[in-house]
Amino acid sequence: MKTGEGKTLVATLPVYLNALTGKGVHVVTVNDYLARRDAEWMGQIYRFLGLTVGVVVNAVEPQTPERRAAYNADITYGTNSEFGFDYLRDNMVTSLDQTVMRDLNYAIVDEVDNILIDEARTPLIISGQGQESTDMYVQFARWAPRLKHEIDYTIEEKTRTVILTEAGIDKLEQLAGVKNIYDENNLDLTRYMENAIKAQIIFKRDKDYIVKDGEVIIVDEFTGRQMPGRRYSEGLHQAIEAKEGVKVQRENHTLATITYQNFFRLYKKLAGMTGTALTEAEELHKIYKLDVMVIPTNMPMIRENLPDLIYRHSEAKFNAVVEEIKALHEEGVPVLVGTTSVENSEYLSEKLDRQGIPHNVLNAKNHAREAQIVAQAGRSGGVTIATNMAGRGTDILLGGNPEGYFDSILRKHAEQVNYIREMPSRTEDEQADKEEAIQQYIENMTEEEKNELLQQKVRECEEDHKRVVALGGLHIIGTERHESRRIDNQLRGRAGRQGDPGQSRFFLALDDELLRRFAADRVSKVMEMVGMEEDMPLESGMVSRLIEQAQTKVEGYNFDIRKNVVDYDDVIAKQREVIYADRRAVLERADMHERVLDMIRAEVNKLVDACIPGNMVTEEEQLEKLLTLMEAWVHVPEDVLPENIHAIRREDLRRKLLDLTIEHYEERGEKLDESAKQNPGL
């Protein structure tokens, strides 16, 4: 279903139907803001129909009564990571009253492609801190700049891996003062160095991560959102911390893990919705057994997707983007500019500042203001720069959406009141006094005054809507193609909602990451053939097709990564299922007697078959090995075995050892029962 077609509202139908069973429904969203907003908006419908609604967000402490109450509601809104981590935490508790979730019954996933595909490359991991020293990371962060690219190491850009050359290994041995780096005591040194080089060369600040309050926080490459609490594994996060000069935290050891693929496959029923799933229909069917159905738009789509413009260098590209924004802004056309990183959004923002063009920036550093910025993005003359998040789940209404930024409207109204406007604000104390006066004025406003102000803004936005439609609607500018065609389509999908007019165009450069990694040579040859100037763009359907081929290649590569992640997790999925079921049974004080007997039989059978491959004992060593292994469990008396060991049949021995082990287990059980009766407090 396309953007603005009412996915959030339509979801109430299957959610209500499945909630009637009383087994619980989870509505999964991409961030806490949308979870809260949708629970508030749609909760009115559910409560009217007699159902209860809960919200699970990062701000609610895990394993608390509030969290449990949210899960016990008929319908629970929350993010994918909160649901996943609560599942893992529930299977690590030492008492049933610490669990919060019910059985996983039905989930409907909003922005299903983002959660089930984009996020599926990273498994959910609960870790505990290790004991290793962090000094080595700091030392290697100093050494890494001394090694030279192509001489001491090579970089595989497609897989983002570093390989040390012979010269690099020699240099590392000199720096570390060791003779042989491949000695078993020195094996970790190559890992430290490769991670230090990755941190220096491959992982970029304000693109792959940001530094905030002395912490390295990963930025989601697909949405541009911060991912607090997530850390790169295998020592890479520590290497980045050492590079940035912040406190290096100890490496973590995995305590519990599950992939999103295997977590969502635990639900009895699974469904989802998005505007951009068709390109991933095959993967959704293969991994989740989900079919993709395309719902036609309510009104015909009239957005115009203009051909890409390709430049030789990023500088020429960004200059052209600024000129395009300037021209559109002067006409009054609202513009939404999509960037692939925080760094690029801030670089473009600086260029617009120099041109005196007012604009808003929406990136991982200020996503708290996301809803308000997006609500105003469709106003005439508005310029909004956004990373890939681009207000996912929030509609951009032409002319603006006053309800979306009503807090700002109230504030501006209060600031224009005479006595507040005249208050000085030079010092911090004066600013605090003025802020207090603004808040006090807003609190003292009556509901009638607030409603009158809102209606006035609604009328203004309606007039502005007509003006923006006449100008051709919202104009989307993409500053780089993403690895995934879906992310590009999501950016385009911000314009042209509900039959509104709109335009979209991508500005590209040969040194963009996607082109550099997968298509630069071929595109460069085309540009040379037609004799392109440095600042002249190439507009060609053939080049656009080359780029789409590169994207298809990367999508295939990323699918393989996700497939590998789930294949590895499938190996332990069965084990996890059995262990979690046994653990739950113990917590529920279920009778584990038969389960333990089955485990004893399986283990004795395994030992007998491993030590005695034939039907008869043929060598004394076979018997000695078996009895040594059995002694770890139970003492085997001599009368169990006949004098002539060659007369021992494997099946007879198996039966005797099973009887002996089970008898020993039953005796121990009786003693423990007796001890429990004598000491009821234990």
Side-chain angles (χ1 to χ4, degrees):
M1 252 176 121
K2 295 285 185 191
T3 302
E5 292 292 310
K7 291 187 287 292
T8 306
L9 185 60
V10 167
T12 58
L13 301 173
V15 168
Y16 174 68
L17 177 66
N18 284 275
L20 292 176
T21 63
K23 294 176 182 175
V25 171
H26 292 170
V27 183
V28 189
T29 64
V30 291
N31 62 37
D32 285 350
Y33 163 72
L34 289 178
R36 283 198 193 93
R37 186 204 71 179
D38 292 354
E40 191 178 323
W41 279 5
M42 302 302 122
Q44 298 171 62
I45 297 172
Y46 301 131
R47 291 187 190 97
F48 174 75
L49 294 168
L51 298 177
T52 55
V53 180
V55 186
V56 175
V57 290
N58 200 25
V60 180
E61 285 295 311
Q63 295 170 326
T64 56
E66 294 84 0
R67 196 104 164 168
R68 193 176 300 110
Y71 278 115
N72 284 331
D74 295 310
I75 299 153
T76 307
Y77 281 82
T79 62
N80 46 320
S81 57
E82 292 301 311
F83 287 128
F85 281 126
D86 279 336
Y87 169 76
L88 291 177
R89 278 190 288 260
D90 271 7
N91 285 290
M92 294 172 67
V93 298
T94 54
S95 168
L96 269 182
D97 57 16
Q98 295 172 333
T99 61
V100 294
M101 295 184 95
R102 296 192 279 169
D103 288 343
L104 301 176
N105 175 48
Y106 176 74
I108 187 159
V109 185
D110 196 4
E111 307 296 357
V112 67
D113 54 327
N114 177 248
I115 291 172
L116 297 192
I117 292 176
D118 298 338
E119 298 249 348
R121 280 164 64 179
T122 311
L124 291 161
I125 298 171
I126 291 181
S127 307
Q129 282 205 339
Q131 300 302 313
E132 297 87 350
S133 168
T134 58
D135 296 344
M136 295 293 272
Y137 293 104
V138 178
Q139 183 63 64
F140 276 81
R142 292 195 199 103
W143 288 346
R146 300 190 197 178
L147 273 67
K148 300 289 181 281
H149 185 211
E150 297 298 347
I151 298 170
D152 300 316
Y153 61 87
T154 58
I155 292 173
E156 180 58 58
E157 279 202 80
K158 289 181 186 178
T159 56
R160 301 185 103 184
T161 51
V162 169
I163 301 164
L164 290 172
T165 63
E166 287 296 327
I169 289 166
D170 291 342
K171 193 173 282 188
L172 178 53
E173 286 172 344
Q174 287 171 21
L175 290 167
V178 298
K179 288 184 178 177
N180 180 9
I181 202 165
Y182 293 110
D183 185 278
E184 60 181 307
N185 295 321
N186 303 326
L187 286 176
D188 275 346
L189 296 181
T190 52
R191 181 172 70 93
Y192 283 125
M193 183 53 84
E194 285 169 2
N195 275 333
I197 295 168
K198 276 187 194 177
Q200 292 282 350
I201 308 298
I202 298 176
F203 286 80
K204 308 281 191 219
R205 182 170 177 165
D206 288 341
K207 180 174 183 285
D208 299 296
Y209 64 90
I210 62 171
V211 178
K212 181 179 173 185
D213 301 330
E215 277 188 64
V216 170
I217 298 174
I218 299 173
V219 172
D220 186 328
E221 65 174 303
F222 292 99
T223 63
R225 286 191 173 88
Q226 296 173 32
M227 298 196 291
R230 290 232 187 141
R231 292 176 65 81
Y232 294 116
S233 58
E234 308 295 334
L236 176 58
H237 209 96
Q238 286 76 8
I240 294 171
E241 287 170 333
K243 163 196 164 184
E244 294 295 344
V246 301
K247 185 186 176 188
V248 180
Q249 297 181 30
R250 285 181 174 159
E251 245 184 281
N252 291 331
H253 294 308
T254 299
L255 302 177
T257 179
I258 192 169
T259 58
Y260 277 120
Q261 291 99 322
N262 274 324
F263 171 66
F264 280 107
R265 290 194 297 196
L266 292 171
Y267 282 90
K268 293 184 181 75
K269 285 172 73 179
L270 182 64
M273 51 192 180
T274 180
T276 49
L278 198 57
T279 55
E280 312 298 341
E282 184 185 355
E283 182 171 348
L284 287 167
H285 183 73
K286 272 186 180 174
I287 303 289
Y288 303 101
K289 301 288 185 286
L290 292 175
D291 293 323
V292 175
M293 183 179 291
V294 179
I295 308 296
T297 54
N298 178 40
M299 306 277 283
M301 169 69 72
I302 58 171
R303 182 187 67 238
E304 187 181 3
N305 295 328
L306 301 171
D308 299 347
L309 293 179
I310 300 143
Y311 294 80
R312 282 191 180 276
H313 299 291
S314 290
E315 189 59 31
K317 172 185 77 174
F318 281 115
N319 288 338
V321 167
V322 170
E323 288 303 313
E324 177 90 347
I325 293 169
K326 189 177 179 183
L328 291 165
H329 176 68
E330 285 170 358
E331 289 178 31
V333 178
V335 182
L336 175 69
V337 187
T339 64
T340 55
S341 69
V342 177
E343 183 183 26
N344 284 344
S345 67
E346 292 183 343
Y347 175 68
L348 191 54
S349 176
E350 286 171 19
K351 278 183 163 295
L352 291 178
D353 282 338
R354 286 198 289 271
Q355 293 285 337
I357 300 170
H359 60 280
N360 280 311
V361 180
L362 176 62
N363 61 32
K365 287 187 174 177
N366 64 354
H367 66 261
R369 290 178 56 224
E370 178 177 344
Q372 289 198 9
I373 293 174
V374 170
Q376 299 181 68
R379 300 180 78 182
S380 59
V383 177
T384 309
I385 302 172
T387 43
N388 287 325
M389 64 206 305
R392 234 185 141 155
T394 312
D395 278 349
I396 297 177
L397 303 184
L398 299 186
N401 175 13
E403 290 179 2
Y405 63 100
F406 193 49
D407 289 346
S408 301
I409 293 169
L410 289 173
R411 185 179 181 84
K412 282 183 180 174
H413 175 71
E415 286 171 350
Q416 297 308 310
V417 175
N418 287 338
Y419 77 89
I420 293 176
R421 190 173 62 239
E422 291 166 5
M423 287 177 75
S425 56
R426 290 181 295 275
T427 67
E428 282 188 17
D429 287 343
E430 287 174 345
Q431 287 168 8
D433 290 342
K434 190 168 185 175
E435 180 62 31
E436 190 179 338
I438 290 169
Q439 295 304 325
Q440 194 68 49
Y441 181 86
I442 293 171
E443 282 176 26
N444 291 336
M445 286 179 73
T446 64
E447 286 303 315
E448 288 78 10
E449 286 173 327
K450 288 181 181 178
N451 192 49
E452 189 181 333
L453 186 62
L454 177 62
Q455 293 310 314
Q456 181 189 331
K457 290 296 175 185
V458 167
R459 288 190 291 275
E460 286 176 19
C461 287
E462 284 171 355
E463 287 301 313
D464 201 33
H465 179 271
K466 293 173 187 171
R467 189 158 54 247
V468 171
V469 168
L471 289 167
L474 179 66
H475 192 95
I476 303 289
I477 294 177
T479 58
E480 196 171 327
R481 286 283 202 146
H482 196 272
E483 287 181 355
S484 169
R485 286 170 293 171
R486 281 181 302 104
I487 307 296
D488 293 342
N489 291 338
Q490 281 155 17
L491 179 61
R492 281 197 171 113
R494 300 287 103 204
R497 61 175 295 286
Q498 286 288 349
D500 283 339
Q503 283 189 328
S504 73
R505 190 195 287 276
F506 279 84
F507 287 70
L508 313 176
L510 288 184
D511 50 3
D512 288 347
E513 190 173 354
L514 179 77
L515 288 173
R516 193 180 69 244
R517 285 168 65 186
F518 294 96
D521 293 343
R522 286 183 289 174
V523 179
S524 185
K525 280 175 188 168
V526 173
M527 293 186 92
E528 282 171 15
M529 280 163 50
V530 294
M532 301 297 298
E533 298 282 334
E534 289 291 315
D535 56 352
M536 277 287 290
L538 170 66
E539 184 177 332
S540 160
M542 186 183 81
V543 174
S544 294
R545 284 194 297 276
L546 281 176
I547 292 164
E548 287 224 352
Q549 286 169 16
Q551 287 178 308
T552 307
K553 239 190 235 178
V554 183
E555 285 167 9
Y557 171 69
N558 288 338
F559 172 64
D560 290 340
I561 291 175
R562 292 189 292 269
K563 191 79 172 66
N564 281 338
V565 168
V566 78
D567 285 347
Y568 278 108
D569 195 54
D570 282 344
V571 175
I572 61 169
K574 191 67 185 171
Q575 180 187 3
R576 183 170 50 229
E577 184 185 325
V578 170
I579 295 295
Y580 284 1
D582 284 348
R583 209 174 181 285
R584 187 78 181 200
V586 170
L587 291 176
E588 290 172 350
R589 299 186 179 277
D591 186 354
M592 298 294 288
H593 184 260
E594 279 305 316
R595 180 78 183 92
V596 174
L597 290 183
D598 286 342
M599 291 164 71
I600 289 171
R601 291 185 190 106
E603 196 62 28
V604 171
N605 285 332
K606 189 170 81 173
L607 293 178
V608 171
D609 291 338
C611 296
I612 306 170
N615 290 326
M616 305 287 292
V617 175
T618 55
E619 296 175 21
E620 195 170 337
E621 288 79 7
Q622 291 178 339
L623 200 57
E624 284 178 4
K625 185 181 176 185
L626 175 60
L627 296 180
T628 302
L629 292 169
M630 286 297 300
E631 285 288 341
W633 288 16
V634 61
H635 173 63
V636 182
E638 291 181 6
D639 59 4
V640 169
L641 306 172
E643 289 182 16
N644 180 9
I645 64 161
H646 296 293
I648 301 175
R649 296 172 59 82
R650 182 178 66 177
E651 295 311 309
D652 293 339
L653 181 60
R654 187 198 306 274
R655 194 163 51 252
K656 285 181 180 180
L657 291 176
L658 277 170
D659 291 343
L660 181 71
T661 311
I662 291 170
E663 185 183 334
H664 176 68
Y665 166 69
E666 300 286 13
E667 284 175 6
R668 290 290 301 274
E670 287 170 12
K671 284 179 183 175
L672 286 171
D673 285 344
E674 192 63 38
S675 176
K677 285 175 188 173
Q678 292 172 4
N679 304 281
L682 287 177

